[in-house]
Structures are given as structure tokens and as C-alpha cells.
């Protein structure tokens, strides 16, 4: 079942949707040429916000969990994409080792690992799950609420390779975002393919670097379509050297928020948008929706209560936040079952393979939905990204909406490819 969307589309996005549909051959050719020059991330997911007057990615995750939230109809697409990805990297691949996050008891997360294992099994690989958590000292089986069992085995390191007791993989798939740093056990693996690369982890990666790449790609994509790139690009700034716990650096942060809100106000005026602009302040590295807050006025930062400061100052694995990205807040006009929602698009290699709606009944249209209490409505993009209905009235056909989301998500994936090239510590430099 494709859920019924109540989408309040107004103003330029109608034109944008029509422009994207009319330009489909040019868009697909543009992507093809880009992928000839750049390597897509092995897999990723993109959170998208549809404000009615603009459509933009707000987060790109290079170690996506949540594969279990996609429907069974999505599996054939994911399996084909997995085959294409593996064929390109290691055509003779036989054994694949998945390294998950260390929180071994989170059954929702483990259901995602089971789904990944299923996808690569169907792509013709022997798949086992190896944990680098210090808590997993022997083979551990966890039974999940839906009856699946996941078996975690301790990873063993030899001089130049890693594997399991009786399992030697040629390819290692990380589903662990390395928030607390790169563990030595996965460093210097010169004989195995490690996907994604270590510099895609949050110990190296920065959101501001990603959105810098996205801005560059969005400008070129905007030129292709003949649109203002702002319609698909959230403006952003950065603030460094903050100590939330002790209130250090808050004045500099307030100044940056002011600058950003002024830019957004100018854009709103240009397009005749009556909404009140807002900014999202979030940790420049990190995930799981931690260290994120909505700021509607820079003055709010001076009066931030201690509880809010403590929440902002700490993210996953107890990492302290010192640098933040200040992002133009994009409203969401999507609703699922009367709850505020946003689409999340999943990709593998260069293909859109599915997605779902993240919804949160207790959050407002200008707040972060990736928070405890969020629900997921699975949604297969199967018929939609491949088969947009050219010539259909904007908003009248379901596939139009999803083709548009798939296009914006792929622009974000291309930006991630640029970002990984720019931050690759082993890149060959040509004069």
C-alpha cells in the first residue's frame, strides 16, 4: 500500500516538480556522466524536507541503519543494486563480513543488520556478522521480536586481514559509523575491501563539509534545470570552539545564527513566503538525531536552560560537541496519520532502492523528527523512481513526488561522493 499523502504544495515547488519531470532525460544523462567521473558511496540514506516552497536534503548518512523499515517489495531493487555495487568493487567476491554498531542489545538496530544480511545473501554472497565490541567475546545469538535470530561473532585480526574464526572475507561492510574513533582492528587492511572507507566515519567526517560539497553540486544541478539552487539547497554556517556545558562560545554561535536567519529572510522576501524562518543547530559530526535544536531567534541562545545545553553538548558514545553546523530550517508539509513526517530515501551504489516516512506525533513542522518516539511508515519507491509519469499535473500522480525525492537524494549522494574524494587521506595528487 502506498500511503496517502496530504502534501500542501504551494508556489515554486509546483514549478520545480514540473521542471524536474520535464527534464528527466537531461537529469538522468547528467547523473550518468557524473558517475563516470565519481564513485558513489557504497550505500547511503538521505533525510529530505518538503516545505512546499522548497525541497532539500537535511542529512546524509553514509552508514545507514533502518533497512528493516523498508518493505519486502523493495528487496529485488536492493539486491540488484547490491549485485552491481559488489561486481564493480570485487567481482570475484564470495565472503562478506558485516561489522555492526557496538550496541548489541538494540533489537530494532539488529533487525536492520538482519535485513542487510538478507540483501547480500540474495546477491549471492556468504554473509556473516562480526562484532568489534569489547563485550562480544564469544559467538552470541540474539532472538529478535519478529522471530529472526542474529548471530554475532567476535572479529579476529591477523597481520593484514580481519575475519572470523573459520571465515575469511574479501569484503568488509561497515554498518558502524565510527563515532568514537577508528578502532585499530580495522586500520591498515591492505588486502581486503573496506566499505565505506574509514574517512567516511564521524571521527573524520563533518556535516559542514558535506553541505559545502552539496552547495557546489546543487549550483550545477540548478543551472541544468534553470532554477535557483536555493530551492533544493539549505543555506548553512558553522561555529567552532563551543563549550555548551559552561556557556563558552555562545555569543559567536548567536552571531552566526543571526547571519543565517538574515539570509533566509531575504530569500523568503524574494519568493513572497510568509513563514517565519528558523535555524537548526546541530553537532557538526554525529548521528542518531542527538545534539540538535531548533532556534527561531538568536536571543534564545543566551537564555538556553542548562538541561538543553547539556543535551546539545553530548552526542553518541559520550562525544563532546565543540563545533556545530547552523542549517537553514526547512519546514515539512508532509503528514502521515496526522503526525508531522519527512521522507527518508535509501540508496545503494548509484540506485534509489526504497525509503520510508519518518513521523513524530509530538514534534512540530520546524523540529527535528529523528528523536525518541519517531515512527516509520515503510514505502517502496519501486514503481516511482523508475517510472515518473511525464506530462502529469504536479501533485496528481504519486510517482511524481517520489521521482522528485529520488532526484534530490541522488544529488546529495553525489555531493557525498565529492566530499569523500576531497577528504580521502590516500588520494593521489596530480600536479
Amino acid at each position: 500500500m502506498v500511503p496517502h499523502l496530504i502534501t500542501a504544495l504551494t508556489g515554486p515547488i509546483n514549478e520545480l516538480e514540473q521542471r524536474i519531470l520535464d527534464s528527466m532525460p537531461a537529469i538522468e544523462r547528467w547523473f550518468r556522466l557524473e558517475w563516470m567521473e565519481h564513485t558513489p558511496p557504497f550505500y547511503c540514506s538521505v533525510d529530505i524536507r518538503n516545505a512546499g516552497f522548497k525541497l532539500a536534503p537535511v542529512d546524509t548518512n553514509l552508514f545507514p541503519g533502518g533497512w528493516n523499515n523498508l518493505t519486502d517489495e523493495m528487496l529485488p531493487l536492493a539486491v540488484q543494486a547490491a549485485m552491481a555495487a559488489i561486481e564493480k568493487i570485487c567481482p570475484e567476491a564470495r565472503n562478506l563480513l558485516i561489522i555492526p554498531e557496538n550496541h548489541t542489545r538494540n533489537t530494532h538496530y539488529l533487525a536492520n543488520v538482519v535485513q542487510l544480511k538478507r540483501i547480500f545473501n540474495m546477491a549471492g554472497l556468504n554473509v556473516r556478522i562480526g562484532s568489534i565490541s569489547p563485550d562480544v567475546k564469544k559467538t552470541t545469538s540474539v532472538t529478535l521480536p519478529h522471530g529472526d535470530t542474529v548471530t554475532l561473532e567476535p572479529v579476529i585480526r591477523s597481520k593484514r586481514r580481519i575475519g572470523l574464526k573459520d571465515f575469511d572475507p574479501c569484503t568488509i561492510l561497515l554498518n558502524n559509523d565510527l563515532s568514537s574513533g577508528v578502532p585499530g582492528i580495522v586500520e591498515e587492511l591492505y588486502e581486503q575491501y573496506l566499505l565505506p572507507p574509514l574517512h567516511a566515519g564521524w571521527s573524520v567526517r563533518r556535516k559542514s563539509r558535506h553541505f559545502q560539497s552539496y552547495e557546489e553540486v546543487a549550483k550545477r544541478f540548478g543551472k541544468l534545470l534553470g532554477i535557483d539552487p536555493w530551492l533544493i539547497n539549505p543555506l548553512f554556517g558553522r561555529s567552532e570552539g563551543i563549550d555548551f556545558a559552561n556557556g563558552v562560545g555562545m555569543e559567536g554561535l548567536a552571531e552566526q545564527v543571526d547571519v543565517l536567519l538574515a539570509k533566509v529572510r531575504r530569500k523568503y522576501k524574494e519568493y513572497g513566503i510568509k513563514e517565519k524562518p528558523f535555524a537548526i543547530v546541530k553537532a557538526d559530526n554525529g548521528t542518531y538525531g542527538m545534539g540538535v535544536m531548533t532556534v527561531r531567534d538568536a536571543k534564545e541562545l543566551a537564555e538556553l536552560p542548562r538541561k538543553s545545553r547539556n543535551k546539545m553538548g553530548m552526542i553518541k558514545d559520550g562525544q563532546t560537541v565543540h563545533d556545530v553546523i547552523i542549517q537553514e530550517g526547512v519546514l515539512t508539509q508532509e503528514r502521515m496519520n496526522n503526525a508531522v513526517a519527512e521522507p527518508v530515501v535509501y540508496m545503494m551504489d548509484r540506485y534509489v532502492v526504497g525509503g520510508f516516512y519518518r513521523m513524530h506525533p509530538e514534534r512540530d513542522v520546524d523540529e527535528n523528527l529523528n528523536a525518541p518516539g519517531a515512527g516509520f511508515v515503510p514505502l517502496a519507491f519501486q514503481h516511482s523512481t523508475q517510472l515518473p509519469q511525464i506530462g502529469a499535473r504536479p501533485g496528481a500522480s504519486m510517482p511524481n513526488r517520489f521521482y522528485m525525492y529520488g532526484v534530490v537524494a541522488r544529488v546529495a549522494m553525489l555531493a557525498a561522493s565529492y566530499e569523500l574524494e576531497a577528504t580521502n587521506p590516500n588520494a593521489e595528487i596530480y600536479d
Side-chain angles (χ1 to χ4, degrees):
M1 285 290 293
V2 175
H4 177 64
L5 298 184
I6 304 161
T7 310
L9 288 179
T10 55
I13 198 109
N14 268 330
E15 293 166 36
L16 174 62
E17 187 164 3
Q18 193 64 64
R19 189 73 60 96
I20 285 175
L21 286 168
D22 293 345
S23 311
M24 193 181 90
I27 289 171
E28 295 305 326
R29 178 177 180 274
W30 184 78
F31 276 125
R32 275 199 305 278
L33 295 175
E34 285 290 340
W35 294 130
M36 284 170 73
E37 301 283 328
H38 305 280
T39 305
F42 186 77
Y43 58 2
C44 75
S45 68
V46 178
D47 297 357
I48 293 175
R49 303 276 282 209
N50 181 355
F53 52 84
K54 83 180 280 179
L55 178 78
V58 291
D59 229 340
T60 302
N61 186 355
L62 298 181
F63 298 87
W67 288 88
N68 53 309
N69 293 319
L70 301 166
T71 61
D72 288 343
E73 290 83 17
M74 178 271 327
L75 273 178
L77 272 183
V79 170
Q80 281 177 318
M83 283 175 172
I86 290 288
E87 206 170 293
K88 219 161 49 179
I89 293 153
C90 178
E92 69 279 10
R94 182 180 297 149
N95 296 339
L96 175 80
L97 180 68
I98 298 177
I99 296 184
E101 292 282 359
N102 288 354
H103 41 248
T104 50
R105 297 293 164 195
N106 183 331
T107 55
H108 288 296
Y109 173 72
L110 290 175
N112 143 76
V113 177
V114 168
Q115 182 78 312
L116 272 176
K117 182 180 178 188
R118 190 176 291 133
I119 290 166
F120 287 100
N121 265 149
M122 289 164 117
L125 295 168
N126 300 317
V127 186
R128 305 251 295 258
I129 299 159
S131 177
I132 55 174
S133 166
D135 301 336
V136 179
K137 295 184 172 64
K138 58 180 199 294
T139 301
T140 307
S141 290
V142 182
T143 303
L144 305 181
H146 295 299
D148 285 323
T149 300
V150 58
T151 302
L152 302 165
E153 302 175 67
V155 168
I156 297 165
R157 171 85 196 217
S158 63
K159 196 172 180 188
R160 301 171 71 85
R161 298 173 77 86
I162 60 173
L164 305 176
K165 195 175 173 191
D166 53 355
F167 187 73
D168 183 26
C170 80
T171 307
I172 318 292
L173 179 64
L174 281 177
N175 197 244
N176 179 319
D177 63 23
L178 310 175
S179 287
S180 51
V182 177
I185 195 166
V186 295
E187 289 185 307
E188 298 177 8
L189 296 174
Y190 301 123
E191 295 178 358
Q192 290 164 305
Y193 294 96
L194 186 67
L195 307 165
L198 293 177
H199 67 282
W202 283 123
S203 49
V204 176
R205 195 173 173 234
R206 294 295 175 266
K207 291 180 183 181
S208 51
R209 183 74 196 70
H210 172 72
F211 280 99
Q212 193 181 331
S213 297
Y214 182 81
E215 190 169 40
E216 181 191 327
V217 176
K219 277 179 185 162
R220 292 189 17 244
F221 186 72
K223 199 170 177 185
L224 172 80
L225 290 191
I227 60 163
D228 178 351
W230 176 76
L231 294 173
I232 57 164
N233 179 31
L235 302 174
F236 75 96
R238 189 167 185 262
S239 192
E240 300 175 357
I242 300 166
D243 178 349
F244 281 100
N246 299 308
V248 175
M250 299 300 279
E251 285 169 19
L253 173 58
E255 276 171 34
Q256 291 291 336
V257 168
D258 247 346
V259 168
L260 183 84
L261 288 175
K263 285 181 189 168
V264 179
R265 266 185 220 106
R266 280 199 292 278
K267 277 292 180 189
Y268 277 22
K269 193 173 177 187
E270 183 185 330
Y271 283 95
I273 294 159
K274 301 286 185 274
E275 306 287 352
K276 187 175 171 22
F278 64 100
I280 299 289
V281 175
K282 49 188 169 185
D284 203 9
N285 61 323
T287 180
Y288 287 105
M290 298 169 83
V292 181
M293 68 176 169
T294 301
V295 182
R296 296 167 188 87
D297 189 319
K299 293 191 188 81
E300 293 169 22
L301 292 165
E303 297 138 20
L304 207 59
R306 177 165 286 280
K307 189 179 173 189
S308 302
R309 289 212 310 267
N310 290 344
K311 267 177 105 170
M312 279 302 295
M314 196 79 75
I315 52 169
K316 187 180 166 224
D317 294 339
Q319 300 292 303
T320 311
V321 175
H322 294 297
D323 303 337
V324 297
I325 178 172
I326 301 131
Q327 200 175 50
E328 173 191 348
V330 182
L331 295 162
T332 177
Q333 296 286 19
E334 307 279 13
R335 291 280 185 287
M336 296 294 311
N337 311 330
N338 294 327
V340 173
E342 65 190 7
V344 184
V345 178
Y346 275 63
M347 289 161 289
M348 198 174 281
D349 194 49
R350 58 201 177 106
Y351 307 103
V352 174
V353 296
F356 56 78
Y357 276 89
R358 179 188 287 123
M359 48 185 260
H360 204 304
E362 289 153 35
R363 294 283 167 123
D364 214 335
V365 293
D366 60 356
E367 292 183 298
N368 167 42
L369 306 185
N370 188 6
F376 306 97
V377 176
L379 179 74
F381 280 53
Q382 190 167 337
H383 309 295
S384 35
T385 45
Q386 269 66 13
L387 302 170
Q389 296 173 17
I390 296 176
R393 189 166 52 79
S397 106
M398 277 301 210
N400 287 347
R401 183 73 11 87
F402 301 142
Y403 178 69
M404 189 167 73
Y405 291 160
V407 166
V408 170
R410 284 184 289 161
V411 175
M413 177 165 65
L414 181 58
S417 171
Y418 278 54
E419 171 200 358
L420 290 177
E421 284 166 19
T423 55
N424 183 357
N426 304 316
E428 295 177 19
I429 296 162
Y430 301 100
D431 290 329

